[in-house]
Amino acid sequence: TPAVEARGLEKRYGALAAVRGIDVVLARGEFLAVFGPNGAGKSTLLRMLCGAVVPSRGTVRIAGEEIGGGEDGWRRRIGLLSHQTFLYPGLSAAENLDFYARLYGLADRRARVDEALRGVELWDRRADAARTFSRGMQQRLALARTLLHDPEVVFLDEPYTGLDPHASGLLTGVLERLRDGRRTIVLVTHNLSQGLEQANRVAVQVGGRWVSDEPASAIDPAT
Ligand code: ADP
Ligand code: ADP
């Protein structure tokens, strides 16, 4: 069973076709990077893959279970990092994560929060309020929240946006560790220099369609 299996995905907003006929089939452990210019429909595609946007046409299955099919076990299997990930500025890093751990009814909250903080290298800042964090630290805290329930499939929407080179380097390290052969990852970005090293598959999306979809080994970054 593929970790992600989407067939014939389309999304229309009135007269605009944001995504027009994309298939995504990912085996467990794959890391797919989707590149394309702004407005190509990458975000819309990602949001359909994680159930945040309802497709106009097509279906999405997570580990065989159809999104919108009635059951919602798939929700526990996925995590999304988007620009809208909400953090409470007045709460500490640990409190922010604990809040979500409670909200999602996770067992072993303390252990999960600690592990998530360590995973994004924020352990030593766990007691500090989120509002005192740099953009890069906030992004890593948001990623910790995404990973809190140990999702099998992780969706990342432009995770490098607004990060300086140091913060980008830290994030790349975190992504490296996520790529453990077990977890399936989909990253969308307009910047070809991001995620290319981590990905084992690379798709290019233009005007709502995939114009290529290849193993990363086939891509020469120099061209
Ligand atoms: P990308 O992530 O590649 O920049 P998006 O998926 O954000 O592309 O957007 C694709 C197109 O769909 C854009 O023209 C955008 O304006 C439009 N769009 C996205 N979301 C909505 C929405 N909720 N309502 C109307 N149009 C939208
Ligand atoms: P929202 O209020 O964000 O729309 P939903 O009720 O749609 O939340 O559910 C999101 C699902 O994501 C939850 O049912 C849960 O299984 C799963 N989930 C659990 N922990 C997290 C987390 N830390 N971040 C994101 N999703 C999580």
Side-chain angles (χ1 to χ4, degrees), residues 158-175:
E158 303 275 4
Y160 287 94
T161 300
L163 302 189
D164 63 29
H166 175 71
S168 296
L170 283 173
L171 180 60
T172 297
V174 172
L175 295 186

PDB file of all heavy atoms in Angstrom, residues 158-175:
ATOM      1  N   GLU A 158       6.792  25.352   1.857  1.00  0.00           N
ATOM      2  CA  GLU A 158       7.791  26.429   1.886  1.00  0.00           C
ATOM      3  C   GLU A 158       8.422  26.587   3.275  1.00  0.00           C
ATOM      4  O   GLU A 158       8.395  27.683   3.853  1.00  0.00           O
ATOM      5  CB  GLU A 158       7.156  27.770   1.469  1.00  0.00           C
ATOM      6  CG  GLU A 158       6.492  27.763   0.101  1.00  0.00           C
ATOM      7  CD  GLU A 158       7.446  28.032  -1.052  1.00  0.00           C
ATOM      8  OE1 GLU A 158       8.675  28.161  -0.821  1.00  0.00           O
ATOM      9  OE2 GLU A 158       6.969  28.079  -2.202  1.00  0.00           O
ATOM     10  N   PRO A 159       9.019  25.528   3.807  1.00  0.00           N
ATOM     11  CA  PRO A 159       9.504  25.617   5.191  1.00  0.00           C
ATOM     12  C   PRO A 159      10.680  26.576   5.372  1.00  0.00           C
ATOM     13  O   PRO A 159      10.969  26.968   6.499  1.00  0.00           O
ATOM     14  CB  PRO A 159       9.923  24.176   5.510  1.00  0.00           C
ATOM     15  CG  PRO A 159      10.227  23.568   4.189  1.00  0.00           C
ATOM     16  CD  PRO A 159       9.266  24.201   3.220  1.00  0.00           C
ATOM     17  N   TYR A 160      11.342  26.949   4.281  1.00  0.00           N
ATOM     18  CA  TYR A 160      12.531  27.809   4.403  1.00  0.00           C
ATOM     19  C   TYR A 160      12.209  29.300   4.338  1.00  0.00           C
ATOM     20  O   TYR A 160      13.095  30.123   4.510  1.00  0.00           O
ATOM     21  CB  TYR A 160      13.539  27.468   3.304  1.00  0.00           C
ATOM     22  CG  TYR A 160      14.238  26.153   3.549  1.00  0.00           C
ATOM     23  CD1 TYR A 160      13.759  24.972   2.992  1.00  0.00           C
ATOM     24  CD2 TYR A 160      15.382  26.094   4.344  1.00  0.00           C
ATOM     25  CE1 TYR A 160      14.396  23.769   3.219  1.00  0.00           C
ATOM     26  CE2 TYR A 160      16.031  24.893   4.573  1.00  0.00           C
ATOM     27  CZ  TYR A 160      15.530  23.733   4.011  1.00  0.00           C
ATOM     28  OH  TYR A 160      16.155  22.539   4.235  1.00  0.00           O
ATOM     29  N   THR A 161      10.939  29.624   4.092  1.00  0.00           N
ATOM     30  CA  THR A 161      10.572  31.031   3.911  1.00  0.00           C
ATOM     31  C   THR A 161      10.976  31.879   5.111  1.00  0.00           C
ATOM     32  O   THR A 161      10.643  31.557   6.254  1.00  0.00           O
ATOM     33  CB  THR A 161       9.052  31.153   3.669  1.00  0.00           C
ATOM     34  OG1 THR A 161       8.736  30.415   2.504  1.00  0.00           O
ATOM     35  CG2 THR A 161       8.635  32.601   3.481  1.00  0.00           C
ATOM     36  N   GLY A 162      11.705  32.935   4.843  1.00  0.00           N
ATOM     37  CA  GLY A 162      12.066  33.891   5.890  1.00  0.00           C
ATOM     38  C   GLY A 162      13.213  33.464   6.789  1.00  0.00           C
ATOM     39  O   GLY A 162      13.494  34.130   7.782  1.00  0.00           O
ATOM     40  N   LEU A 163      13.885  32.344   6.467  1.00  0.00           N
ATOM     41  CA  LEU A 163      14.975  31.888   7.321  1.00  0.00           C
ATOM     42  C   LEU A 163      16.327  32.399   6.808  1.00  0.00           C
ATOM     43  O   LEU A 163      16.580  32.402   5.609  1.00  0.00           O
ATOM     44  CB  LEU A 163      15.022  30.357   7.382  1.00  0.00           C
ATOM     45  CG  LEU A 163      13.759  29.657   7.880  1.00  0.00           C
ATOM     46  CD1 LEU A 163      14.050  28.176   8.090  1.00  0.00           C
ATOM     47  CD2 LEU A 163      13.248  30.285   9.170  1.00  0.00           C
ATOM     48  N   ASP A 164      17.188  32.801   7.741  1.00  0.00           N
ATOM     49  CA  ASP A 164      18.535  33.202   7.341  1.00  0.00           C
ATOM     50  C   ASP A 164      19.371  31.926   7.128  1.00  0.00           C
ATOM     51  O   ASP A 164      18.919  30.820   7.430  1.00  0.00           O
ATOM     52  CB  ASP A 164      19.155  34.156   8.371  1.00  0.00           C
ATOM     53  CG  ASP A 164      19.349  33.517   9.734  1.00  0.00           C
ATOM     54  OD1 ASP A 164      19.534  32.286   9.801  1.00  0.00           O
ATOM     55  OD2 ASP A 164      19.310  34.241  10.736  1.00  0.00           O
ATOM     56  N   PRO A 165      20.587  32.066   6.580  1.00  0.00           N
ATOM     57  CA  PRO A 165      21.371  30.863   6.244  1.00  0.00           C
ATOM     58  C   PRO A 165      21.609  29.927   7.432  1.00  0.00           C
ATOM     59  O   PRO A 165      21.543  28.700   7.284  1.00  0.00           O
ATOM     60  CB  PRO A 165      22.690  31.447   5.733  1.00  0.00           C
ATOM     61  CG  PRO A 165      22.325  32.789   5.202  1.00  0.00           C
ATOM     62  CD  PRO A 165      21.230  33.292   6.095  1.00  0.00           C
ATOM     63  N   HIS A 166      21.841  30.493   8.604  1.00  0.00           N
ATOM     64  CA  HIS A 166      22.075  29.647   9.774  1.00  0.00           C
ATOM     65  C   HIS A 166      20.831  28.837  10.112  1.00  0.00           C
ATOM     66  O   HIS A 166      20.883  27.616  10.316  1.00  0.00           O
ATOM     67  CB  HIS A 166      22.501  30.513  10.965  1.00  0.00           C
ATOM     68  CG  HIS A 166      22.653  29.728  12.234  1.00  0.00           C
ATOM     69  ND1 HIS A 166      23.693  28.839  12.432  1.00  0.00           N
ATOM     70  CD2 HIS A 166      21.882  29.659  13.343  1.00  0.00           C
ATOM     71  CE1 HIS A 166      23.558  28.275  13.619  1.00  0.00           C
ATOM     72  NE2 HIS A 166      22.472  28.754  14.197  1.00  0.00           N
ATOM     73  N   ALA A 167      19.690  29.524  10.146  1.00  0.00           N
ATOM     74  CA  ALA A 167      18.423  28.853  10.458  1.00  0.00           C
ATOM     75  C   ALA A 167      18.085  27.822   9.381  1.00  0.00           C
ATOM     76  O   ALA A 167      17.588  26.735   9.687  1.00  0.00           O
ATOM     77  CB  ALA A 167      17.304  29.889  10.586  1.00  0.00           C
ATOM     78  N   SER A 168      18.386  28.153   8.127  1.00  0.00           N
ATOM     79  CA  SER A 168      18.149  27.206   7.036  1.00  0.00           C
ATOM     80  C   SER A 168      18.984  25.954   7.226  1.00  0.00           C
ATOM     81  O   SER A 168      18.511  24.836   7.015  1.00  0.00           O
ATOM     82  CB  SER A 168      18.513  27.827   5.682  1.00  0.00           C
ATOM     83  OG  SER A 168      17.691  28.907   5.410  1.00  0.00           O
ATOM     84  N   GLY A 169      20.237  26.156   7.659  1.00  0.00           N
ATOM     85  CA  GLY A 169      21.127  25.023   7.892  1.00  0.00           C
ATOM     86  C   GLY A 169      20.593  24.109   8.980  1.00  0.00           C
ATOM     87  O   GLY A 169      20.613  22.882   8.835  1.00  0.00           O
ATOM     88  N   LEU A 170      20.082  24.707  10.050  1.00  0.00           N
ATOM     89  CA  LEU A 170      19.511  23.907  11.137  1.00  0.00           C
ATOM     90  C   LEU A 170      18.293  23.123  10.648  1.00  0.00           C
ATOM     91  O   LEU A 170      18.133  21.949  10.955  1.00  0.00           O
ATOM     92  CB  LEU A 170      19.105  24.796  12.313  1.00  0.00           C
ATOM     93  CG  LEU A 170      20.235  25.295  13.209  1.00  0.00           C
ATOM     94  CD1 LEU A 170      19.700  26.293  14.223  1.00  0.00           C
ATOM     95  CD2 LEU A 170      20.895  24.118  13.923  1.00  0.00           C
ATOM     96  N   LEU A 171      17.454  23.799   9.868  1.00  0.00           N
ATOM     97  CA  LEU A 171      16.250  23.143   9.359  1.00  0.00           C
ATOM     98  C   LEU A 171      16.630  21.971   8.449  1.00  0.00           C
ATOM     99  O   LEU A 171      16.043  20.895   8.522  1.00  0.00           O
ATOM    100  CB  LEU A 171      15.360  24.146   8.613  1.00  0.00           C
ATOM    101  CG  LEU A 171      14.065  23.571   8.037  1.00  0.00           C
ATOM    102  CD1 LEU A 171      13.173  22.992   9.126  1.00  0.00           C
ATOM    103  CD2 LEU A 171      13.297  24.638   7.257  1.00  0.00           C
ATOM    104  N   THR A 172      17.649  22.188   7.614  1.00  0.00           N
ATOM    105  CA  THR A 172      18.108  21.106   6.736  1.00  0.00           C
ATOM    106  C   THR A 172      18.558  19.905   7.560  1.00  0.00           C
ATOM    107  O   THR A 172      18.240  18.758   7.224  1.00  0.00           O
ATOM    108  CB  THR A 172      19.256  21.604   5.836  1.00  0.00           C
ATOM    109  OG1 THR A 172      18.741  22.632   5.000  1.00  0.00           O
ATOM    110  CG2 THR A 172      19.814  20.487   4.969  1.00  0.00           C
ATOM    111  N   GLY A 173      19.248  20.172   8.674  1.00  0.00           N
ATOM    112  CA  GLY A 173      19.675  19.089   9.561  1.00  0.00           C
ATOM    113  C   GLY A 173      18.484  18.315  10.114  1.00  0.00           C
ATOM    114  O   GLY A 173      18.498  17.078  10.178  1.00  0.00           O
ATOM    115  N   VAL A 174      17.449  19.044  10.488  1.00  0.00           N
ATOM    116  CA  VAL A 174      16.243  18.402  11.021  1.00  0.00           C
ATOM    117  C   VAL A 174      15.588  17.546   9.928  1.00  0.00           C
ATOM    118  O   VAL A 174      15.180  16.404  10.175  1.00  0.00           O
ATOM    119  CB  VAL A 174      15.248  19.455  11.568  1.00  0.00           C
ATOM    120  CG1 VAL A 174      13.923  18.808  11.943  1.00  0.00           C
ATOM    121  CG2 VAL A 174      15.842  20.192  12.767  1.00  0.00           C
ATOM    122  N   LEU A 175      15.521  18.082   8.707  1.00  0.00           N
ATOM    123  CA  LEU A 175      14.913  17.325   7.594  1.00  0.00           C
ATOM    124  C   LEU A 175      15.715  16.066   7.289  1.00  0.00           C
ATOM    125  O   LEU A 175      15.151  15.011   6.993  1.00  0.00           O
ATOM    126  CB  LEU A 175      14.798  18.192   6.337  1.00  0.00           C
ATOM    127  CG  LEU A 175      13.866  19.395   6.418  1.00  0.00           C
ATOM    128  CD1 LEU A 175      13.733  20.067   5.064  1.00  0.00           C
ATOM    129  CD2 LEU A 175      12.495  19.011   6.946  1.00  0.00           C
TER     130      LEU A 175
END
